[in-house]
Amino acid sequence: MSYLIVDTETAISNKGTPYDESNELCYIGWKTEDTDVQLMDYIDDQYGHPGYHILRPIYHDSLVVGCNLKFDLAWLRMYGYGTPKRVFDIALAFFILRNQRHVMPSLNQMAEYYGLERKIGLS
């Protein structure tokens, strides 16, 4: 089974929700077993970006993996990607495996728990 690791970055008004018209999708980052990390910039030409057409078949034919996927999938649906057939949310898995002790674990909380490096931040 092929996998697609995906993450979205958005404007942050109202917690970045796709249902607030002041927000927009800024980037989609992804990685498959066959590619290095790819970054698609949506700022200038959201629907005509060539990456949109490249990512779509990978998105539908893979196990889509991410952290707090409900957020990313909501954005991807807003931009016409639809809903993938198979998903694996590492935040949800962590929540279940830790006996529901961390309701909304961050990527950094999970990394620290497993002794991994924290994500790279802007500050």
Side-chain angles (χ1 to χ4, degrees), residues 2-98:
S2 61
Y3 66 84
L4 169 68
I5 300 170
V6 67
D7 186 32
T8 59
E9 297 300 329
T10 67
I12 57 172
S13 176
N14 194 14
K15 298 184 180 180
T17 176
Y19 312 110
D20 182 331
E21 291 181 6
S22 64
N23 286 324
E24 62 183 5
L25 184 63
C26 300
Y27 296 96
I28 299 175
W30 80 89
K31 181 179 182 346
T32 69
E33 63 267 20
D34 299 325
T35 64
D36 291 330
V37 172
Q38 304 291 314
L39 188 62
M40 187 181 343
D41 180 344
Y42 265 80
I43 291 174
D44 295 328
D45 187 13
Q46 296 169 339
Y47 298 104
H49 194 289
Y52 177 83
H53 304 291
I54 294 167
L55 182 57
R56 184 175 239 158
I58 299 169
Y59 177 77
H60 288 288
D61 294 336
S62 303
L63 170 65
V64 176
V65 179
C67 182
N68 191 16
L69 265 178
K70 69 180 183 296
F71 178 84
D72 300 303
L73 294 179
W75 271 104
L76 291 168
R77 280 194 304 270
M78 294 287 283
Y79 280 80
Y81 284 91
T83 304
K85 296 174 191 170
R86 298 177 300 261
V87 298
F88 184 81
D89 188 328
I90 64 171
L92 179 59
F94 185 82
F95 173 70
I96 293 167
L97 292 172
R98 294 289 302 138

Side-chain angles (χ1 to χ4, degrees), residues 101-116:
R101 291 189 189 127
H102 295 96
V103 176
M104 287 295 294
S106 69
L107 186 57
N108 280 336
Q109 285 175 314
M110 292 181 284
E112 287 175 13
Y113 178 80
Y114 289 109
L116 303 171

